[in-house]
Amino acid sequence: NELTHLDERGQARMVEVGAKEITRREAIARGEVAMRPGTLDMILEGKTPKGEVFGVARIAGIMAAKKTPEIIPLCHPLALTGIDVQFRPDRELSRVEIEARVRTTGQTGVEMEALTAVSASALAIYDMCKAVDREMVIGAIRLIHKSGGKSGSFDREGEEKWL
Amino acid sequence: NELTHLDERGQARMVEVGAKEITRREAIARGEVAMRPGTLDMILEGKTPKGEVFGVARIAGIMAAKKTPEIIPLCHPLALTGIDVQFRPDRELSRVEIEARVRTTGQTGVEMEALTAVSASALAIYDMCKAVDREMVIGAIRLIHKSGGKSGSFDREGEEKWL
Amino acid sequence: NELTHLDERGQARMVEVGAKEITRREAIARGEVAMRPGTLDMILEGKTPKGEVFGVARIAGIMAAKKTPEIIPLCHPLALTGIDVQFRPDRELSRVEIEARVRTTGQTGVEMEALTAVSASALAIYDMCKAVDREMVIGAIRLIHKSGGKSGSFDREGEEKWL
Amino acid sequence: NELTHLDERGQARMVEVGAKEITRREAIARGEVAMRPGTLDMILEGKTPKGEVFGVARIAGIMAAKKTPEIIPLCHPLALTGIDVQFRPDRELSRVEIEARVRTTGQTGVEMEALTAVSASALAIYDMCKAVDREMVIGAIRLIHKSGGKSGSFDREGEEKWL
Amino acid sequence: NELTHLDERGQARMVEVGAKEITRREAIARGEVAMRPGTLDMILEGKTPKGEVFGVARIAGIMAAKKTPEIIPLCHPLALTGIDVQFRPDRELSRVEIEARVRTTGQTGVEMEALTAVSASALAIYDMCKAVDREMVIGAIRLIHKSGGKSGSFDREGEEKWL
Amino acid sequence: NELTHLDERGQARMVEVGAKEITRREAIARGEVAMRPGTLDMILEGKTPKGEVFGVARIAGIMAAKKTPEIIPLCHPLALTGIDVQFRPDRELSRVEIEARVRTTGQTGVEMEALTAVSASALAIYDMCKAVDREMVIGAIRLIHKSGGKSGSFDREGEEKWL
C-alpha cells in the first residue's frame, strides 16, 4: 500500500518524518465560493471598501492554518513561518476566489495548511452570507504550488499567477 | 445591509440569538473529493474492507463539527446532539462523495457544523492520499437540507436521498 | 472563606451552578491600549477607513470570548448567544478604548467572557503595533455592566454609554 | 505603512519570518489587578499560605502563554522553552502585581506570550474574586524586557528587578 | 451490535441524544498513581502544605473535564455545571488516589468527563514527578457513581465514600 | 526539592529547557482496559474485521498526543515527528492492551505524549463500550521505553516487545 499514512497492516499512523531534511517549504492552495450575483454585490458593497466579509474570512483562514494538526488527524504539528490569504471577486462567474500561501521551515510540507486555510475562509464567507443565500457552493479546493523537500516542486498546470 | 453578521456600521459581530426559539434543528451537507482512478483504488483496497481512510476521515468530520465555533469566527457555540458522516465511493466519476448530518436542540441552525464536517473529512482524505495524488480537487460542498427554526425547512433541488 | 471558587478546604473547584435559575444574562466590559500618537495615527490611517487593525482585533475578541473556559481555569462553559466588540480611538489621550458586550441564556454570568474579549482585542492591537511601539500599555480592563441572575444588576459608576 | 502585520494593501497577514535568525529569545511582561483591601486579604488568608488563588492564576498564565497563537490572530506558533509566572501582593496600593517570563529558541520574539500570560493570570484572579469584588481593575499590562533577535534588547525604564 | 456509538453498518457516529430527557446528572470517577515512597514524600513535603503538585494536578483535571469532547471523538459537548477533583495520599500503599466529580444538566451523562479529569490529574502528577521516578504506574481508573438519566443510578460495589 | 517543575519557592513553572541539546527522542508507553468477556467480544466482532472501535481509539490517541501541552499544564509544546498506536486484545485476561510510540527531534522528551496517547485511547474505548459495561477499569498506564537526551535510555524491566 503506497498510502504513507497507513502502516503495513493498513492502520492509520502519524508517519515518522524525523529523518527528513529540514528545508524551507511553501504551499499555495486555491478554492472558490460560487454564489448568486446579489450575494456577491452585498459582500462588495459593504460600508468598508474591501468588505468586512473578506477581513473576517482572511482571519478565519490564517487561524485555521495554525489549527491544521487539530483538524486533520494524521497531520504533523509545524511551526509555520508565514501565512497570507487573498480574495478575488469574480462578477462574471459570480464567485469569490480564494488563495492561501503558507510557509514553514521543517521536515514536512504545508499543503494541508494551505488547503485548510482556503477551506476555513470559504466556510466563513458561507457563514456570513447564508442568511441571504443558502445555495452557495464551495468548490475547486486544490493545490497550486508546492516547493521544498525531497519530492520536489509542483506547479499545477493552467493556473496563472495572481497579481 | 442584509448580512446579519455585520452590524449597522458594517462591522462583524456574533449576532444575538437569545430571543430565538429553542427547537430541534438538523442540517445535512455534502461534498466530494475528485481523484485519479488509481487513488480511489488504493482507498478501496485497504486491508480493512471499508478502508481505514474512511474511518479516519469520518472521525475528522465528527471532531471538526464540534470545533466549528473555533474555526468559523462568527459562529455560535452549540451543544450538538448528534453527528453522522458517510462516504460513497463513485468509481464512474472517480471520486468520493461525503455526506454529514448534524443535529442540535438550540436557538440557531447547524448548517455550518455540517459543512465544516464535510470539509474536514475531505481534507483528511486529501491528506491521506496526497503522497500518491497531488491533483485531487475538493468540491461541491453544499447544504442539502435544513430543518427547525423560524426560517423554515430547506431541501436543495435535485439531490436524491442516500440509501 | 467567601471566595466561591475555593471549597471549604481552600481548594479550587468549578463551583456547582446546577441549581441556579436559567436567565438571560449580559455583561459589558471595557479597557484601553495607551500608545504614542504616531502609533495611533498608523492604525487610523490604514488603507481601509476604519483600519484593518480594528477588524482583526474585533475577531480576536469575539473568538477569545468563546474560548474563555479554556483560558480561565474555573470558568463554566456557556452557550453564548451574542458578542459585540467596539473600538473608540481617543487622539486626545492617545489611546484606543475597547468595549465588549456578551450575552447568554444560562445559569451563570458572562463577566469573564466580556473581560476576556477586551483583553484579547487589546493584545491583538499590541501585537499588530509592537514593531513600531514597544511601550504601549494595556489598562483599565473593568466590568461596566452586568444583568441577569440572582445577584442583580450592576452598573459601574461614572461610565457613560457609548453611542 | 510600517505595521508589519499588514501587507502593502493594508491587509492582515501572518508575516513571513522564515529568513530571520534562530536565536534564544526572552520576554518579561508585567501587569496588576487593583482590588479592595478586603479582597486582597481574602486572597492572602487562604488556608494554603501563598493562597490557592495564586496557584490557579499561575497555571492560567502558563497555559495561556502556550495558547497565544490561538488567541492572537497574527501571532506565530512557537516552541516555548520555559515559562515562569510570579505574583507580588502589594497591601499599600491594594493590588496584586504579576510578572511573566517566557523563553524560546526561534525566529520571532515572545513578547505576546509574556503579555498573554500576564493577562490570563489577571483574568483568573478576577474570576476567583469577582463574587466579593466586582470593581477590580486589571491594568498596567506592559513589556518590561525583551532580548534576542535582530531588533536588539529592550528594558523598560523605571522598572526595578523583582527579587 | 449493542455498541450505541456504532451505527447499523458498524461505523462510528456521535449518537443522536436529542430525544432524551434533560435531567441533572452526576458522575464520580477514581484512579490512582502508584509511585516509590520517596516520590510520595517529595510531593507531600513541598513548601506549600498540601503540595503545589496537587494544586497543579487539580487544575489539570478540571480543565481536561471541560475539554472532554475534544479528547474523546464520539463524546457530546455538554455545559458542565460543576467539577471537583480531590487527592488522597496513601503512604501505606505508596500511591496517590484521585477522585473527580462532574455534574451537568443535560441529555447525556458525564462519566467520560469524570474519567477524563482523573486521567489528566494522574498524567499531571506523573509529569511533575517523572524526573525522580520514571516507573510510576497510573491505574484503577474507574467509574464509582453515576446518577440522572433514564438508565438509572449506578454505585460501584466496595467503594467507600471519601470524607 | 528535586521536582524540576517546581522552582526554589516550590511554585510551578514550565522549566526552561533552552540550553538542552536537540536530539531525536522516542518514548513508548502502554496501558490496558479490563472489561467483561462479552464486551471484548462485541469489540472484536464488529462488522469491520479489526473493529471500528480500535480505529476510533487509535485516532483519539494520535490526536491527544498532539494536544499534550494543552492537557498537562507544565508540559512543553513539541513538534512531534511520528505517532503510532497499537491495540492487542487479550481474551484470556479479558482486556485490551494499548501501546503508543511517539517521536520528536527536540530539547525535551516525549514520555508525556506517549502516556497521554495511551490514556486517550483507553478513554475512547471506555466511551464506546460504556453502554454495555460500566465497570471497565483502565489501568497499568506506564512508560516502557525512552531514548534520546542527556538522562539516557530507559527500558522497563519485564516488558516484552510487541510483534
Side-chain angles (χ1 to χ4, degrees):
Chain A
N1 197 310
E2 299 173 56
L3 299 179
T4 55
H5 289 46
L6 305 187
D7 66 16
E8 64 284 356
R9 278 168 289 192
Q11 295 171 352
R13 62 177 168 184
M14 192 176 90
V15 64
E16 169 63 9
V17 297
K20 292 174 75 176
E21 206 186 347
I22 294 174
T23 60
R24 289 184 68 178
R25 292 159 189 267
E26 182 182 72
I28 298 175
R30 287 188 189 151
E32 63 190 42
V33 185
M35 57 187 69
R36 291 203 299 259
T39 309
L40 186 55
D41 287 347
M42 272 181 208
I43 291 175
L44 298 177
E45 288 158 15
K47 282 165 193 159
T48 53
K50 283 166 204 290
E52 180 83 348
V53 169
F54 292 163
V56 174
R58 181 177 290 112
I59 298 303
I62 291 171
M63 294 185 86
K66 293 192 271 184
K67 215 179 256 300
T68 301
E70 290 183 60
I71 296 172
I72 302 179
L74 306 178
C75 217
H76 293 80
L78 282 175
L80 307 181
T81 56
I83 310 168
D84 291 273
V85 180
Q86 302 298 331
F87 301 95
R88 208 165 68 168
D90 175 348
R91 283 193 188 269
E92 207 170 329
L93 295 172
S94 197
R95 63 182 187 185
V96 172
E97 292 178 290
I98 306 166
E99 180 181 282
R101 183 178 53 165
V102 179
R103 289 185 275 189
T104 197
T105 304
Q107 292 177 305
T108 178
V110 284
E111 300 97 300
M112 294 319 303
E113 283 74 6
L115 291 160
T116 299
V118 168
S119 299
S121 289
L123 289 165
I125 289 174
Y126 189 104
D127 179 45
M128 286 181 275
C129 301
K130 70 179 189 294
V132 299
D133 188 356
R134 279 166 175 164
E135 306 204 23
M136 287 171 287
V137 178
I138 296 171
I141 298 177
R142 62 204 190 276
L143 184 66
I144 296 303
H145 168 78
K146 174 190 182 304
S147 59
K150 193 176 145 202
S151 67
S153 288
F154 164 78
D155 282 285
R156 195 181 193 95
E157 275 183 37
E159 302 277 352
E160 54 177 323
K161 207 165 194 162
W162 284 21
L163 299 184
Chain B
N1 197 310
E2 298 172 56
L3 300 179
T4 54
H5 288 45
L6 305 187
D7 66 17
E8 63 283 357
R9 278 168 288 192
Q11 295 171 350
R13 60 177 170 186
M14 192 178 89
V15 64
E16 169 63 12
V17 297
K20 292 174 75 174
E21 208 186 346
I22 294 174
T23 59
R24 288 184 67 177
R25 293 158 188 269
E26 181 181 72
I28 298 174
R30 287 188 189 150
E32 63 190 43
V33 186
M35 58 188 67
R36 290 204 300 258
T39 310
L40 187 55
D41 287 347
M42 274 182 205
I43 292 176
L44 298 177
E45 288 158 14
K47 283 165 192 162
T48 53
K50 284 165 202 293
E52 178 84 347
V53 170
F54 292 164
V56 174
R58 180 177 290 113
I59 296 304
I62 291 172
M63 294 186 85
K66 295 193 271 184
K67 213 179 258 300
T68 302
E70 289 183 61
I71 296 171
I72 303 180
L74 306 177
C75 217
H76 294 81
L78 282 174
L80 306 181
T81 56
I83 311 168
D84 292 273
V85 179
Q86 302 298 330
F87 301 94
R88 209 164 68 168
D90 175 349
R91 282 193 191 267
E92 205 170 330
L93 295 173
S94 197
R95 62 183 187 185
V96 172
E97 292 178 289
I98 306 166
E99 180 182 281
R101 182 177 53 164
V102 179
R103 288 185 275 190
T104 196
T105 303
Q107 293 178 303
T108 180
V110 284
E111 299 97 300
M112 295 318 304
E113 282 76 5
L115 291 160
T116 300
V118 169
S119 299
S121 289
L123 289 165
I125 290 174
Y126 189 103
D127 180 46
M128 286 182 276
C129 300
K130 71 180 191 292
V132 299
D133 188 355
R134 279 165 175 164
E135 306 204 25
M136 286 172 287
V137 178
I138 297 171
I141 298 178
R142 62 206 191 274
L143 184 67
I144 295 302
H145 168 79
K146 173 191 182 302
S147 59
K150 195 176 145 201
S151 69
S153 287
F154 164 78
D155 283 285
R156 194 181 194 96
E157 276 184 36
E159 302 278 352
E160 55 178 321
K161 210 165 192 162
W162 284 22
L163 298 184
Chain C
N1 198 311
E2 298 172 55
L3 300 179
T4 54
H5 288 46
L6 305 187
D7 66 17
E8 64 283 356
R9 278 168 287 191
Q11 295 171 350
R13 61 177 170 185
M14 193 177 90
V15 64
E16 169 63 10
V17 298
K20 291 175 77 176
E21 206 186 347
I22 294 174
T23 59
R24 289 184 66 179
R25 293 157 189 267
E26 180 181 74
I28 298 174
R30 288 189 188 149
E32 63 191 41
V33 186
M35 57 188 68
R36 289 205 299 260
T39 309
L40 187 55
D41 287 347
M42 273 181 206
I43 292 176
L44 298 177
E45 287 158 15
K47 281 165 192 162
T48 54
K50 285 167 203 291
E52 179 85 347
V53 170
F54 292 164
V56 174
R58 180 177 290 112
I59 298 305
I62 290 172
M63 294 186 86
K66 293 192 271 184
K67 213 179 257 299
T68 303
E70 289 184 60
I71 297 171
I72 303 180
L74 306 178
C75 218
H76 295 81
L78 282 174
L80 305 182
T81 56
I83 310 168
D84 290 274
V85 179
Q86 302 299 330
F87 301 95
R88 208 164 68 168
D90 176 348
R91 283 194 190 267
E92 208 171 327
L93 295 172
S94 198
R95 63 182 188 186
V96 172
E97 293 178 289
I98 306 166
E99 182 182 280
R101 183 177 54 165
V102 178
R103 288 186 274 189
T104 197
T105 302
Q107 292 177 303
T108 179
V110 284
E111 300 96 301
M112 295 319 303
E113 282 76 6
L115 290 161
T116 300
V118 168
S119 298
S121 290
L123 289 166
I125 290 174
Y126 189 103
D127 180 44
M128 286 181 274
C129 300
K130 70 179 191 291
V132 298
D133 188 356
R134 280 166 175 164
E135 306 205 23
M136 287 173 286
V137 178
I138 296 171
I141 297 177
R142 63 205 189 275
L143 184 67
I144 295 301
H145 168 78
K146 173 191 183 301
S147 59
K150 195 176 145 201
S151 67
S153 287
F154 164 77
D155 282 285
R156 195 181 192 93
E157 275 183 38
E159 300 278 352
E160 55 178 322
K161 207 164 194 164
W162 284 21
L163 298 185
Chain D
N1 198 311
E2 297 172 58
L3 300 180
T4 54
H5 288 46
L6 305 187
D7 65 17
E8 64 283 356
R9 277 168 289 192
Q11 295 172 351
R13 60 176 169 184
M14 192 177 90
V15 64
E16 169 63 9
V17 298
K20 292 174 76 176
E21 207 187 347
I22 294 175
T23 59
R24 288 184 67 178
R25 294 158 188 268
E26 180 183 72
I28 299 175
R30 288 190 188 148
E32 64 191 39
V33 186
M35 56 187 69
R36 289 204 301 259
T39 309
L40 186 54
D41 287 347
M42 274 182 207
I43 292 176
L44 298 177
E45 287 158 15
K47 282 165 193 161
T48 54
K50 285 166 201 292
E52 179 84 348
V53 169
F54 292 163
V56 174
R58 181 177 291 111
I59 297 305
I62 290 172
M63 294 185 85
K66 292 192 272 185
K67 213 179 257 299
T68 302
E70 289 184 61
I71 296 172
I72 302 180
L74 306 178
C75 219
H76 295 80
L78 282 175
L80 306 182
T81 56
I83 311 168
D84 290 272
V85 179
Q86 302 298 330
F87 301 95
R88 208 164 68 168
D90 175 349
R91 283 193 190 269
E92 207 170 327
L93 295 172
S94 197
R95 63 182 186 185
V96 171
E97 293 179 288
I98 306 165
E99 181 181 281
R101 183 177 53 165
V102 178
R103 289 185 274 189
T104 197
T105 302
Q107 292 177 304
T108 178
V110 284
E111 300 97 300
M112 294 320 303
E113 283 74 7
L115 290 160
T116 299
V118 168
S119 298
S121 289
L123 289 165
I125 290 174
Y126 189 103
D127 180 44
M128 286 182 274
C129 300
K130 69 179 192 292
V132 299
D133 188 355
R134 278 166 176 163
E135 307 206 23
M136 286 172 287
V137 177
I138 295 171
I141 298 177
R142 63 205 188 275
L143 184 66
I144 296 301
H145 168 78
K146 173 191 184 300
S147 60
K150 193 175 144 202
S151 67
S153 289
F154 163 78
D155 283 284
R156 195 180 193 94
E157 276 183 36
E159 302 277 352
E160 53 177 324
K161 209 164 193 165
W162 284 21
L163 298 183
Chain E
N1 196 310
E2 298 172 56
L3 299 179
T4 54
H5 288 47
L6 304 187
D7 66 16
E8 64 283 357
R9 278 168 288 191
Q11 294 171 351
R13 62 177 168 184
M14 192 177 90
V15 63
E16 169 63 9
V17 298
K20 292 174 76 175
E21 207 186 347
I22 294 174
T23 60
R24 288 185 67 177
R25 293 158 188 268
E26 182 182 72
I28 299 175
R30 287 191 189 148
E32 64 192 40
V33 186
M35 57 187 69
R36 291 204 300 257
T39 310
L40 187 55
D41 287 347
M42 272 182 209
I43 292 177
L44 298 177
E45 287 158 15
K47 282 166 192 158
T48 54
K50 284 165 203 291
E52 179 83 349
V53 169
F54 291 164
V56 174
R58 181 177 290 113
I59 297 304
I62 291 172
M63 295 186 85
K66 294 192 272 185
K67 214 179 256 300
T68 302
E70 289 184 61
I71 297 171
I72 303 179
L74 306 177
C75 217
H76 294 81
L78 281 175
L80 306 182
T81 57
I83 311 168
D84 290 273
V85 179
Q86 302 298 332
F87 301 95
R88 210 164 66 169
D90 176 349
R91 283 194 190 268
E92 208 171 329
L93 296 172
S94 198
R95 63 182 186 185
V96 172
E97 293 179 290
I98 306 167
E99 180 181 283
R101 183 177 53 165
V102 179
R103 288 185 275 190
T104 196
T105 303
Q107 292 178 304
T108 178
V110 285
E111 299 97 303
M112 296 318 304
E113 283 75 5
L115 290 161
T116 300
V118 168
S119 299
S121 289
L123 289 166
I125 289 174
Y126 189 103
D127 179 45
M128 286 182 274
C129 300
K130 70 179 190 293
V132 299
D133 187 356
R134 278 165 176 164
E135 306 205 24
M136 288 172 286
V137 177
I138 297 171
I141 297 178
R142 63 206 191 275
L143 184 67
I144 296 302
H145 168 78
K146 173 191 182 302
S147 59
K150 194 176 146 202
S151 67
S153 288
F154 164 77
D155 282 285
R156 194 180 192 94
E157 274 183 38
E159 301 278 353
E160 54 178 321
K161 208 164 193 165
W162 284 22
L163 298 184
Chain F
N1 197 311
E2 298 173 57
L3 300 178
T4 54
H5 288 45
L6 305 186
D7 66 19
E8 64 284 356
R9 279 167 288 193
Q11 295 172 352
R13 62 178 168 184
M14 193 176 90
V15 63
E16 169 63 10
V17 298
K20 293 173 76 176
E21 208 186 347
I22 295 174
T23 59
R24 288 185 69 178
R25 294 158 188 269
E26 181 182 72
I28 299 175
R30 287 188 189 150
E32 63 190 43
V33 186
M35 56 187 69
R36 289 204 301 259
T39 310
L40 187 56
D41 286 347
M42 273 182 207
I43 293 176
L44 298 177
E45 289 159 12
K47 283 165 193 161
T48 53
K50 285 166 202 290
E52 179 84 347
V53 169
F54 291 164
V56 174
R58 180 177 291 112
I59 297 304
I62 290 172
M63 294 185 86
K66 293 192 272 185
K67 214 179 257 299
T68 302
E70 290 183 60
I71 297 172
I72 302 180
L74 306 178
C75 218
H76 294 82
L78 282 175
L80 306 182
T81 56
I83 310 169
D84 290 273
V85 180
Q86 302 298 331
F87 300 95
R88 208 164 68 168
D90 176 348
R91 283 192 190 269
E92 205 170 330
L93 295 173
S94 197
R95 62 182 187 185
V96 172
E97 292 179 289
I98 306 166
E99 180 181 282
R101 182 177 54 164
V102 178
R103 289 185 274 189
T104 196
T105 303
Q107 292 177 305
T108 178
V110 285
E111 300 97 300
M112 295 319 304
E113 284 74 6
L115 291 160
T116 299
V118 169
S119 298
S121 289
L123 289 166
I125 290 173
Y126 189 103
D127 180 45
M128 286 182 275
C129 300
K130 69 179 192 292
V132 299
D133 189 355
R134 279 165 175 164
E135 306 204 24
M136 286 171 287
V137 178
I138 296 171
I141 298 177
R142 62 207 190 274
L143 185 67
I144 296 302
H145 168 79
K146 173 191 182 303
S147 60
K150 194 175 145 201
S151 67
S153 288
F154 164 78
D155 283 285
R156 195 180 192 94
E157 276 183 35
E159 302 277 352
E160 54 178 322
K161 210 165 192 163
W162 284 21
L163 299 183

